[in-house]
C-alpha cells in the first residue's frame, strides 16, 4: 500500500506527496499531460524535441543542469505517445533547488535559434543512433503507420521522419510551449522523507505565482475499426528475416486492458512462457520472440515480434505464431498458467516499489489516468481477471482482419 | 517578500554519506558471505560470484555457456521445469558472465526464498548441460551474435579491446562466428566441474534479511558436498602486444560511426584511482561533462558521449565512447583530443570543480540508496579484493582534490599520444 496525500494549487497544479522515511534522497517528478499524440501530423517528433529544449535554460536560470549538480542532484526525462515526464533525485535537504528549477522552466524558457539548431542536431543523431543505424531499428517507423491510419499513434515519438525535426521553427516551438506547458496541465509528485506541510509551502511559494493557461481541448480522431488484414514487406541489410504483427486492443481505461496484458504474459513473459517454450525451444523456429502491449492510454496495440532462424520459411513462422494465438482463443489454457502470470505481476510490482523515484513516477501517472490511488488497486485488478475473460478478449483481438503484419526480409 | 528567481535557493553541501559496511560471515563450508540488510520491501537478492570468467577458459565461449546454461537442466529438473517454477514464484535468476567472473543472481520475494533457493542450489551444483539444449542455445546465440555484429558500437568495441590487450589476451580476444560450431559439451561439463565449487566463490546476500534467511543460505549453499579442495589455477597473461594507435573498420551504408579512444590505465586497486576518477568525471563522466558540453551541446555531433574507467581484476582501462554522425567522426575525435589536452594544460576553475565534487557526492548517496544499490556498489570492490573502506577513501579524495592535483594526474595518465583510437563505420 502506497500512502499519499494530494492537493491542488489555485492555478490548477496537482501535487502528490508520498512519505518514505527510508531514503535520504527525494524524488521530484513533473509529468506534463502532453505527448506525441498531441502533435500535428506534419510536425511530428515535436513533444520529444521540446523535451530536449527544456534543458537549455529558462527565463531566469541560464543553465538547468549546473545548479542541480551543484546541489548533488541528477535528472532526466522521457517522452511517450501520451506524456512528457521530467524527474530529479537529490539530497532531501536541497529539495528547494528542484522547486526553483522546475517552476522556472514551467513559467517560461529562454528560447533561441542557436539552441534550437543544436538540439535539432542532437535529436537527429538520436534518430540515427536508435532507429536508422541499428539492425531492425526502423521497425516502429513501419509498423505503426500500417496499424494506425488516423490516430496520431501512427508515428513514433522520435517523429515520422528526420525532415520534420529539421524543419521545426522557433515559432513552432514557442507555440508548443504555450499550448501545453502550464500548471493546470501538469502533475507534480514527490517521494521521500518529506511532510505534506513543507511541500505545500514550497509548492505555493514557487509554483503558486505561475498563471493558469488555456489548454486546448484534446481532439484526437478515433482510429476506425480495422476491417481488413494488412501486410507490408520490406528488404533490409540485416542477417535474418523477422516478422512483426500488430493487433488493435483496448484503451488503458477499460477492463480489457488488464486482460490483454495478462494474455501477453501467458504468451511471452519469462522463459516458461508459451512462445519461448514452443517456438524457440521446441520447434526452433525463432532465435528471439516476444509479445507485449504498447501500454498506451488510447486504444493501443498488441504486438508480436520474432526473428526467424536461418532455415525457417516466413510462412511457417507466421503459421506457428497464429497457432499459438489460436490456442488461447480456443480455451486451451489452464488455471495454473493464469495463476503463474498473476504471481509474476505481483512480484514485479513489489520490486518496483523499492525505489522512491519509481513510486513518484507511478503516482503521477495514475493521477493522470484519473486518480493516484489507482496504484493501490493494480494487483487486485490483475488478480480479478478470469479465464473466461481471457478467452473472450483473445478471441476479439486475435482476428486476421484486426492484424497488421510486417515482413522484414534479409537482403541476402 | 518578492521571490528572487534568479538566485538558487540555499543548499547544503553533502556532509554525511552513510555507507553501510556489509556484515561478513563464513558459511559452514567456508564461503565468504557479505550481508546487506536494508530496504522496506520483503525482497531478497543473492549474488554468487565464481572466479570463472572467460579469463579461465581454454576454448572460446565456454565460460559464457556454462554460466548461462546452468538454468537449462539439472539431474532432477528439466530446463522447462526450472523456468516454470521460477516464473510461478515470480522469481528471477540472471546469469552474468564477464571476463573475470561467472555471476549468478537470484531475485526473489522473501516469502518464497525456501522454494527459490532450492532451485538456485540445484542449478549451481547439479547442472547437466543437456546436448539438445546446448545445440539450441548455440544456434540461437550464433544468430544473435551475427545481428550484434551489424552494430557499429560492437564492431568498435571488439576492435578496440583487441588493440588494447592483443588478440591472444583473454581481455582482447574476439569471439568469431565459427567458434559457435566448435563447442564441445565435454569442455562445458569440465569447466563447470573445475570452477563452480565452494572454494571458488563469494556470496552477497541483500534485501530484508533475518537469521532464518541466513540459515537457509547456509543449509543449501553452505553445505560441504560441493567442495573439490582445489583453488582455481590462476592463469597469467602478459600484455606484450604492440597496438595500432589508430584502426578503422569500415561498414557500408551507415549514418553514424562509432568511435572509441582509450588506453590501459590503473584500476580501483591503485592509490591514484580515486583522484583519476574525479578527472575522468570532469572529462566525460556525467551529463554536464566537458565532452558532453563540447561534442553534444555545442557541436550537435552526437546523442551522447562518455568517458569510463573500467576496473577488471588484472588490469584497468579508460574508454571514451560515442556514436557520432558519420561525416563528423574525424572532427569529433579531434575535439576529444583537444579536451584532454585542456585538462592537462589549463587549471580547472574552482566553480567547475565544486560542481563536480558535489555531483559526485550526490551520486555516491544515490549508489547507497536501497539494498540492491548497496550490493551493486560493493560487488566490484569485493571482486577486486579491496577493503570495504574503499568508499571512505573515495569521499576523502573527492573532498580534498585541488585544481593543481588535477593537472598533475591528467599529465601523469592522460597524454594524448598514448591513446588508442578505433573507428567503425565511415571515416573521412
Amino acid at each position: 500500500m502506497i500512502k499519499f496525500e494530494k492537493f491542488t494549487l489555485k492555478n490548477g497544479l496537482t501535487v502528490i506527496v508520498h512519505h518514505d522515511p527510508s531514503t535520504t534522497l527525494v524524488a521530484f517528478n513533473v509529468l506534463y499531460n502532453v505527448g506525441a499524440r498531441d502533435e500535428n501530423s506534419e510536425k511530428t517528433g515535436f513533444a520529444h524535441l521540446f523535451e530536449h529544449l527544456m534543458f537549455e535554460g529558462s527565463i531566469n536560470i541560464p543553465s538547468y543542469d549546473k545548479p542541480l549538480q551543484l546541489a548533488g542532484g541528477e535528472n532526466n526525462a522521457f517522452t511517450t505517445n501520451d506524456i512528457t515526464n521530467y524527474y530529479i533525485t537529490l539530497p532531501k535537504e536541497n529539495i528547494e533547488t528542484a522547486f526553483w528549477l522546475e517552476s522556472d522552466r514551467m513559467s517560461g524558457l529562454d528560447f533561441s535559434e542557436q539552441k534550437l539548431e543544436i538540439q535539432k542536431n542532437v535529436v537527429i543523431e538520436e534518430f540515427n543512433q536508435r532507429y536508422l543505424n541499428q539492425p531492425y531499428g526502423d521497425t516502429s517507423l513501419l509498423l505503426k503507420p500500417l496499424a494506425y491510419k488516423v490516430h496520431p499513434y501512427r508515428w513514433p515519438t522520435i517523429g515520422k521522419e528526420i525532415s520534420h525535426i529539421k524543419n521545426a521553427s522557433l515559432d513552432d516551438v514557442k507555440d508548443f510551449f504555450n499550448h501545453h506547458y502550464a500548471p493546470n496541465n501538469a502533475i507534480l509528485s514527490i517521494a521521500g522523507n518529506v511532510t505534506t506541510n513543507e511541500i505545500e509551502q514550497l509548492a505555493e511559494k514557487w509554483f503558486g505565482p505561475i498563471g493558469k493557461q488555456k489548454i486546448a481541448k484534446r481532439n484526437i480522431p478515433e482510429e476506425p475499426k480495422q476491417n481488413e488484414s494488412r501486410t507490408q514487406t520490406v528488404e533490409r541489410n540485416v542477417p535474418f528475416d523477422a516478422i512483426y504483427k500488430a493487433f488493435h486492443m483496448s484503451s488503458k481505461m477499460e477492463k480489457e486492458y488488464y486482460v490483454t496484458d495478462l494474455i501477453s504474459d501467458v504468451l511471452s513473459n519469462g522463459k516458461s512462457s508459451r512462445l519461448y517454450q514452443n517456438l524457440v525451444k521446441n520447434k526452433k523456429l525463432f532465435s528471439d520472440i516476444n509479445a507485449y502491449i504498447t501500454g498506451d492510454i488510447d486504444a493501443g496495440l498488441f504486438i508480436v515480434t520474432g526473428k526467424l532462424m536461418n532455415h525457417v520459411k516466413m510462412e511457417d513462422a507466421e503459421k506457428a505464431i497464429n497457432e499459438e494465438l489460436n490456442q488461447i482463443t480456443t480455451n486451451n489454457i489452464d488455471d495454473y498458467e493464469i495463476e503463474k502470470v498473476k504471481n509474476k505481476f505481483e512480484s514485479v510490482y513489489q520490486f518496483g516499489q523499492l525505489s522512491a523515484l519509481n513510486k513518484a513516477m507511478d503516482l503521477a501517472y495514475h493521477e493522470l489516468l484519473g486518480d493516484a490511488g489507482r496504484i493501490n488497486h493494480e494487483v487486485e485488478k490483475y488478480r480479478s481477471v478470469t479465464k473466461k475473460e481471457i478467452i473472450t478478449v483473445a478471441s476479439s483481438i486475435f482476428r486476421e482482419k484486426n492484424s497488421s503484419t510486417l515482413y522484414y526480409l534479409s537482403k541476402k | 517578500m518578492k521571490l528572487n528567481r534568479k538566485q538558487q535557493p540555499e543548499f547544503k553541501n553533502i556532509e554525511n554519506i552513510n555507507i553501510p559496511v556489509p556484515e561478513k560471515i563464513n558459511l559452514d563450508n567456508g564461503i565468504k558471505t557479505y550481508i546487506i540488510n536494508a530496504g522496506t520491501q520483503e525482497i531478497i537478492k543473492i549474488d554468487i560470484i565464481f572466479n570463472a570468467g572467460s579469463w579461465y577458459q581454454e576454448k572460446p565461449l565456454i565460460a559464457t555457456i556454462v554460466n548461462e546454461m546452468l538454468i537449462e537442466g539439472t539431474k532432477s529438473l528439466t530446463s522447462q521445469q526450472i523456468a516454470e517454477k521460477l516464473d510461478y514464484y515470480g522469481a528471477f535468476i540472471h546469469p552474468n558472465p564477464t571476463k573475470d567472473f561467472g555471476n549468478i543472481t537470484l531475485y526473489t520475494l522473501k516469502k518464497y526464498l525456501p522454494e527459490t533457493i532450492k532451485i538456485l542450489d540445484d542449478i549451481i551444483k547439479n547442472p547437466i548441460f543437456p546436448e539438445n539444449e546446448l545445440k539450441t542455445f548455440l544456434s540461437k546465440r550464433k544468430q544473435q551474435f551475427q545481428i550484434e555484429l551489424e552494430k557499429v558500437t560492437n564492431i568498435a568495441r571488439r576492435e578496440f579491446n583487441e588493440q588494447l590487450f592483443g588478440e591472444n589476451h583473454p581481455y582482447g580476444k574476439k569471439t568469431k562466428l565459427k567458434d559457435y560450431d566448435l563447442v564441445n559439451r565435454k569442455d562445458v561439463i569440465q569447466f563447470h566441474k573445475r570452477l563452480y565449487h565452494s572454494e571458488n566463490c563469494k556470496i552477497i546476500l541483500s534485501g530484508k534479511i533475518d537469521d532464518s534467511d541466513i540459515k537457509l543460505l547456509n543449509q543449501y549453499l553452505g553445505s560441504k558436498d560441493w567442495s573439490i579442495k582445489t583453488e582455481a589455477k590462476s592463469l597469467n597473461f602478459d600484455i606484450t602486444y604492440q597496438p595500432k594507435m589508430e584502426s578503422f573498420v569500415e561498414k557500408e551504408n551507415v549514418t553514424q560511426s562509432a568511435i572509441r579512444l582509450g588506453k590501459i590505465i590503473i584500476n580501483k586497486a591503485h592509490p591514484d584511482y580515486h583522484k583519476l576518477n574525479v578527472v575522468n568525471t570532469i572529462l566525460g563522466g556525467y551529463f554536464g561533462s566537458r565532452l558532453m558540453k563540447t561534442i553534444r551541446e555545442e557541436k550537435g555531433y552526437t546523442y551522447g558521449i562518455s568517458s569510463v574507467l573500467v576496473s577488471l581484476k588484472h588490469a584497468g582501462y579508460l574508454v571514451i565512447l560515442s556514436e557520432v554522425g558519420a561525416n563528423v567522426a574525424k572532427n569529433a575525435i579531434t575535439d576529444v583530443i583537444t579536451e584532454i589536452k585542456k585538462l592537462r594544460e589549463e587549471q580547472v576553475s574552482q566553480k567547475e570543480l565544486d560542481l563536480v565534487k558535489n555531483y559526485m557526492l550526490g551520486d555516491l548517496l544515490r549508489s547507497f540508496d536501497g539494498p540492491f544499490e548497496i550490493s551493486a556498489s560493493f560487488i566490484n570492490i569485493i571482486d577486486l579484493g579491496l577493503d570495504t573502506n574503499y568508499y571512505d577513501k573515495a569521499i576523502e579524495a573527492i573532498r580534498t582534490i585541488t585544481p593543481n592535483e588535477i593537472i598533475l594526474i591528467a599529465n601523469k595518465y592522460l597524454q594524448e599520444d598514448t591513446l588508442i583510437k578505433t573507428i567503425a563505420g565511415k571515416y573521412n
Side-chain angles (χ1 to χ4, degrees), chain A residues 22-25 52 56 59-61 65-67 69-74 89-91 93-94 96-97 100 103-104 118-119 121-122 125-126 128-130 132-136 205-206 209-210 237 239-240 269-273 276-277 280-281 284 287-288 307-310 336 339-340 343-344 347-348 350-351 353-354, chain B residues 3-9 11-14 40-44 71-72 79-80 83-84 87-92 107-109 111 133 136 139-140 143-144 146-147 150-152 253-257 286-288 293 296-304 323-325 351 354-355 358-359 362-363 365-366 369 371-372:
Chain A
S22 75
T23 170
T24 55
L25 295 162
H52 278 246
E56 297 301 299
I59 308 182
N60 296 293
I61 309 172
D65 287 300
K66 278 185 187 169
Q69 286 153 355
L70 201 56
E74 171 100 288
T89 55
L90 80 173
E93 52 288 6
N94 294 344
E96 194 159 3
T97 288
W100 172 64
S103 63
D104 202 53
I118 293 281
Q119 288 311 311
N121 282 336
V122 171
E125 290 309 330
E126 183 178 357
N128 279 321
Q129 186 174 324
R130 290 196 167 160
L132 305 181
N133 211 38
Q134 294 294 337
Y136 311 97
K205 174 176 171 186
W206 291 103
I210 304 172
N237 275 316
F240 306 103
N269 189 346
K271 280 200 155 176
S272 74
S273 63
Y276 186 77
Q277 282 297 329
V280 176
K281 295 289 288 278
K284 301 180 178 36
S287 65
D288 248 329
K307 295 205 177 77
L308 277 61
M309 289 300 289
N310 206 7
Y336 159 81
E339 177 71 13
K340 177 179 77 178
N343 287 352
K344 194 146 186 190
S347 170
V348 170
Q350 277 233 37
F351 277 94
Q353 293 197 10
L354 210 49
Chain B
L3 199 54
N4 182 358
R5 287 194 179 271
K6 305 255 183 224
Q7 178 76 41
Q8 176 164 10
F11 62 91
K12 292 201 181 84
N13 285 326
I14 298 166
T40 52
Q41 302 299 112
E42 301 287 322
I43 285 168
I44 286 177
I71 48 175
E72 298 295 351
S79 162
Q80 184 176 7
E84 280 294 347
D87 282 341
Y88 187 80
Y89 294 118
F92 302 85
Y107 293 89
T108 182
L109 298 180
K111 63 178 174 184
E133 297 289 351
T136 311
S139 52
K140 206 172 74 182
Q143 285 206 190
Q144 287 163 355
Q146 280 168 277
I147 293 168
E150 293 292 314
K151 301 177 183 170
V152 286
N253 304 314
V254 295
T255 59
Q256 286 189 320
S257 297
Y286 72 118
F287 194 86
K293 203 163 158 278
R296 173 178 148 133
E297 295 295 315
E298 276 167 27
K299 305 284 176 84
Y301 289 162
T302 181
Y303 178 51
E323 281 151 80
V324 300
K351 206 172 151 198
D354 285 345
L355 185 148
N358 288 4
Y359 169 77
D363 207 44
L365 269 187
R366 275 180 285 278
D369 188 43
F372 299 167

